[in-house]
Amino acid sequence: MNVCKKCGFSIPEGVLFCKKCGTPVQSIETDEMDAGLTIEELTKYSLDMRELSDHMIATYVKAVKKMELELDKVKIEAESTISKLERKIREYEGEFRRYKAYVSDLEEKVGEAEAYANQLLGEKTILEEENKKLRIENLAREQERKEPAFCSNCGELLDEGTLFCGNCGVKQD
């Protein structure tokens, strides 16, 4: 029976992973096998590991440098894009100010037009009242001017617009 080097749990034969911490049994067996290596083998293994480690570090450094270059490119592109966006924002702000001034002018003209329309409506009302008064005055004058009409034959008082006398039947001139 094996014992997990990580947690100390007893591991039965044939089990591939520690049931308590999940450490692979193979790594436990490999650790036990390493204990039986000679110094020459351990030295060679150590040198191989150092070489592998150096290679991994060099690869990591290259990757980091490449990532830094890519990051610099992204920064430059981002700064360029930000600059373009800021320029567009300034353009749109200028257009917005022009449209705002235009709308303000239109609102002022609409206000003037409304005031003029109200003035005209007031004048129209005054003119309508004056026209009404004049019509009433004209009707009154017409009624004053009208002299009663009498039948030329029998002297009967005729209604306005009468063509024949209702008393004698003579046609009126």
Side-chain angles (χ1 to χ4, degrees), residues 109-125:
K109 288 178 182 178
V110 166
E112 291 171 1
E114 287 175 345
Y116 183 65
N118 288 334
Q119 178 186 350
L120 290 177
L121 285 173
E123 290 174 6
K124 177 185 173 200
T125 304

Side-chain angles (χ1 to χ4, degrees), residues 4 33 38-39 45 47 49 53 55 57 62 67 73 75 77 80 82 90 102 109 123-125 133 139 145 155 166:
C4 178
M33 287 174 41
T38 65
I39 291 180
Y45 177 75
L47 290 175
M49 292 309 284
S53 177
H55 176 71
I57 289 171
K62 283 181 187 177
M67 289 170 70
K73 286 180 187 177
K75 283 181 184 177
E77 289 175 9
S80 173
I82 289 170
R90 285 191 298 275
Y102 178 70
K109 288 178 182 178
E123 290 174 6
K124 177 185 173 200
T125 304
K133 287 178 187 176
L139 283 174
R145 274 193 257 151

Side-chain angles (χ1 to χ4, degrees), residues 39-57:
I39 291 180
E40 290 86 23
E41 289 172 330
L42 286 174
T43 304
K44 182 176 179 346
Y45 177 75
S46 177
L47 290 175
D48 288 345
M49 292 309 284
R50 183 174 294 191
E51 188 177 306
L52 178 62
S53 177
D54 289 345
H55 176 71
M56 288 175 69
I57 289 171

Side-chain angles (χ1 to χ4, degrees), residues 5 15 18 21 37-39 58 70 72 80 88 113 115 117 127 132 142-143:
K5 292 226 178 190
V15 175
C18 174
C21 70
L37 294 176
T38 65
I39 291 180
E70 289 297 319
D72 287 344
S80 173
K88 280 291 185 188
L127 289 174
K132 186 177 178 181
E142 281 181 24
Q143 287 178 355

Side-chain angles (χ1 to χ4, degrees), residues 27-162:
S27 70
I28 295 168
E29 291 170 359
T30 304
D31 288 345
E32 289 173 358
M33 287 174 41
D34 287 346
L37 294 176
T38 65
I39 291 180
E40 290 86 23
E41 289 172 330
L42 286 174
T43 304
K44 182 176 179 346
Y45 177 75
S46 177
L47 290 175
D48 288 345
M49 292 309 284
R50 183 174 294 191
E51 188 177 306
L52 178 62
S53 177
D54 289 345
H55 176 71
M56 288 175 69
I57 289 171
T59 303
Y60 174 77
V61 168
K62 283 181 187 177
V64 168
K65 285 182 181 180
K66 185 176 180 180
M67 289 170 70
E68 287 174 343
L69 289 174
E70 289 297 319
L71 183 60
D72 287 344
K73 286 180 187 177
V74 169
K75 283 181 184 177
I76 291 169
E77 289 175 9
E79 289 170 356
S80 173
T81 301
I82 289 170
S83 176
K84 288 176 186 176
L85 289 173
E86 287 172 341
R87 205 172 319 117
K88 280 291 185 188
I89 288 170
R90 285 191 298 275
E91 288 175 18
Y92 290 142
E93 286 173 341
E95 287 181 32
F96 177 74
R97 282 191 296 276
R98 285 191 295 278
Y99 286 131
K100 191 174 179 182
Y102 178 70
V103 167
S104 179
D105 289 345
L106 287 178
E107 288 173 343
E108 184 178 328
K109 288 178 182 178
V110 166
E112 291 171 1
E114 287 175 345
Y116 183 65
N118 288 334
Q119 178 186 350
L120 290 177
L121 285 173
E123 290 174 6
K124 177 185 173 200
T125 304
I126 292 170
L127 289 174
E128 286 174 343
E129 290 295 322
E130 288 177 6
N131 190 19
K132 186 177 178 181
K133 287 178 187 176
L134 288 174
R135 278 189 278 138
I136 291 171
E137 288 174 8
N138 283 339
L139 283 174
R141 279 191 218 130
E142 281 181 24
Q143 287 178 355
E144 288 175 8
R145 274 193 257 151
K146 288 187 181 176
E147 297 178 15
F150 297 96
C151 177
S152 55
N153 183 41
C154 69
E156 179 74 23
L157 181 61
L158 300 173
D159 293 330
E160 186 178 334
T162 303

